[in-house]
Amino acid sequence: MNSEVNQNVTPETTGRFIVTFREGAHKDALSVLADSTGVAESKMLKSDDFGASGLDVERVPADGGAVLDTLGIAVVNIDPSAAGSLAMTAGEDSAILAVEPEGVMYALGEPSPMSLDYLRGFRDAAQSLYASASEGPAGEDLLDVEAAFVDTATLTWGLQATKVATSRYSGQGINVAVLDTGFFLAHPDFVGRQIEPTSFIAGVASANDGHGHGTHCIGTACGPLHPALGPRYGIAHKATIFVGKVLTDQGRGVDGDVLAGIDWAVRNKCHVISMSLGANVATTSVAYETAGQRALDAGCMIVAAAGNNAQRSAGQFSFVSRPANSRSFMAVGALDSGLRIADFSARDTVRQPGTAVDIAGPGVAVYSSWSMPTRYRTISGTSMATPHVAGIAALWAQASGARGAALWQRLIANTRGLSLPTSDVGWGLTQAP
């Protein structure tokens, strides 16, 4: 049976609440918060007090919360009745815009076995066709160039398809933040690179990546021009890398830590934030929508994975998941090496403002860096497509000087058009300058 939308799951929550302040109303919002919930300002840890180092989540009081001053968002420990009282005061005419339960986020892992079998079959077929075309008689058009992308000894297929391989830009002078499971800080391909790591996981002091997902994403977005082994897999090879560990080594995190990572990245004047994480929830979040807009206003663009919750081969197209379903986040769909939509890549089926897929990137059989001892790994997901877009955004930021919303427009105006529905790929395949 054809299923247009997978059932929206009940959001997984932590018991804390996310409170979004109206722009410029921090003081009044804290006063309303205290009056409605009894949580005094003295019980609220402030990110302003930590400067460029970011909020120390370890010190957030259990009977209070934290204020992310750059974003104008608070994370509070209050019971549901107090949250309900506070929500009664929220609205456009109030100092508080919204009160939402804090949710749980996950690294967007590889798709289901059924999807993987489909992808492997397509990969093998595409490579066979490529080989046949390469051996064909001169002048005989056996294969459209769009189906000819394969990894070579020097370049991954994604860098070829997005024209990174021929771009003269490097991301120099651009700050790129990747909020994920961290980064394997001793990776030999990144010796000498400027890396700014911070952990937002309570009880975990280091941003080192014991999972691998974050290291893979950073490798695609900002990996080296000449890796120690194998083909080039990285895009913005001279960008400054800001590593925000917002997910544990098990690939799990919470909204408050993710938002703290965004607050830190914006405070540090990052030009691009890459987020290959999400929750399988179709409803949008005021907190993420507001965070994304305030980031854009500060000259920072957030790129996020649309989600791996589809199974197109079974007739299921699902929906763009949170937080990519915010209007202020650039949602990224995944393509395979034939520039076809990946079986697992989410479609915009909810059709509410902000839930669209905005752009597409290479997301099937993507080779990049990984945590030791593996060092490198090839995996699939919209998680892999997202850092392609983020790295290319860094190149455009360097090439054009565009920031925030202007950088967003630059990216979508320079995509490669595809013969696919906009609900799948948005404006098309991202392209380097």
Side-chain angles (χ1 to χ4, degrees):
M1 186 176 82
N2 185 26
S3 176
E4 183 73 1
V5 184
N6 284 344
Q7 182 66 37
N8 183 21
V9 300
T10 301
E12 188 179 354
T13 57
T14 67
R16 299 196 302 183
F17 290 84
I18 308 295
V19 182
T20 305
F21 301 167
R22 180 165 47 84
E23 185 73 27
H26 283 47
K27 185 176 180 60
D28 289 344
L30 287 170
S31 178
V32 173
L33 179 64
D35 290 343
S36 297
T37 68
V39 178
E41 186 174 350
S42 61
K43 293 286 188 180
M44 300 293 288
L45 199 66
K46 297 183 178 181
S47 64
D48 272 352
D49 294 336
F50 297 91
S53 63
L55 181 76
D56 185 350
V57 296
E58 187 74 22
R59 293 171 54 185
V60 175
D63 58 347
V67 179
L68 306 174
D69 294 287
T70 304
L71 298 181
I73 293 173
V75 185
V76 292
N77 290 298
I78 52 177
D79 61 46
S81 61
S85 297
L86 184 62
M88 293 287 289
T89 71
E92 291 295 331
D93 297 327
S94 168
I96 291 178
L97 293 179
V99 180
E100 302 169 282
E102 181 184 46
V104 177
M105 289 281 164
Y106 292 93
L108 296 178
E110 288 209 87
S112 68
M114 180 184 290
S115 293
L116 284 172
D117 289 343
Y118 162 83
L119 296 172
R120 291 187 187 106
F122 181 84
R123 177 198 62 194
D124 294 343
Q127 290 179 342
S128 175
L129 283 171
Y130 176 74
S132 298
S134 299
E135 297 167 1
E140 185 173 344
D141 185 14
L142 297 181
L143 180 66
D144 190 322
V145 69
E146 286 193 358
F149 296 113
V150 294
D151 288 354
T152 68
T154 57
L155 291 164
T156 60
W157 76 264
L159 269 58
Q160 298 169 58
T162 57
K163 297 186 178 178
V164 169
T166 56
S167 178
R168 63 187 179 91
Y169 296 100
S170 63
Q172 187 165 17
I174 304 303
N175 297 335
V176 178
V178 179
L179 307 182
D180 209 287
T181 58
F183 178 65
F184 183 67
L185 299 168
H187 199 290
D189 284 353
F190 293 80
V191 174
R193 289 293 294 278
Q194 186 174 352
I195 300 175
E196 304 292 338
T198 299
S199 173
F200 294 95
I201 304 297
V204 179
S206 171
N208 200 54
D209 182 11
H211 183 285
H213 190 269
T215 301
H216 197 280
C217 293
I218 287 173
T220 298
C222 302
L225 183 62
H226 301 294
L229 295 171
R232 177 186 172 188
Y233 55 84
I235 297 171
H237 55 91
K238 289 189 177 179
T240 298
I241 304 168
F242 283 76
V243 180
K245 187 179 179 70
V246 300
L247 303 176
T248 67
D249 288 344
Q250 290 70 49
R252 184 183 187 275
V254 297
D255 287 334
D257 295 346
V258 174
L259 290 164
I262 297 173
D263 187 87
W264 163 77
V266 174
R267 184 183 296 270
N268 280 280
K269 303 186 184 307
C270 289
H271 306 99
V272 182
I273 299 175
S274 184
M275 295 171 51
S276 293
L277 51 77
N280 194 33
V281 178
T283 53
T284 56
S285 162
V286 173
Y288 282 111
E289 174 70 28
T290 303
Q293 186 59 56
R294 290 174 182 170
L296 285 170
D297 294 343
C300 173
M301 190 184 78
I302 302 178
V303 182
N308 303 337
N309 51 12
Q311 196 169 81
R312 293 161 181 269
S313 54
Q316 297 177 353
F317 297 90
S318 201
F319 50 81
V320 177
S321 57
R322 186 188 294 176
N325 62 5
S326 300
R327 283 175 294 186
S328 53
F329 283 44
M330 180 172 280
V332 184
L335 299 172
D336 62 27
S337 59
L339 303 190
R340 303 181 186 182
I341 191 68
D343 191 53
F344 54 79
S345 189
R347 169 179 284 182
D348 175 26
T349 51
V350 178
R351 297 188 179 91
Q352 294 175 353
T355 59
V357 175
D358 297 297
I359 199 167
V364 175
V366 175
Y367 173 90
S368 185
S369 50
W370 196 259
S371 295
M372 297 294 273
T374 307
R375 190 186 295 192
Y376 306 103
R377 188 173 172 186
T378 299
I379 57 175
S380 302
T382 54
S383 280
M384 287 59 257
T386 298
H388 277 92
V389 175
I392 289 171
L395 302 189
W396 277 109
Q398 177 195 7
S400 67
R403 303 289 185 263
L407 179 58
W408 181 306
Q409 292 299 320
R410 185 76 61 164
L411 253 72
I412 64 172
N414 287 281
T415 55
R416 174 178 178 171
L418 300 168
S419 300
L420 293 168
T422 57
S423 57
D424 288 337
V425 298
W427 291 84
L429 173 62
T430 187
Q431 299 283 277

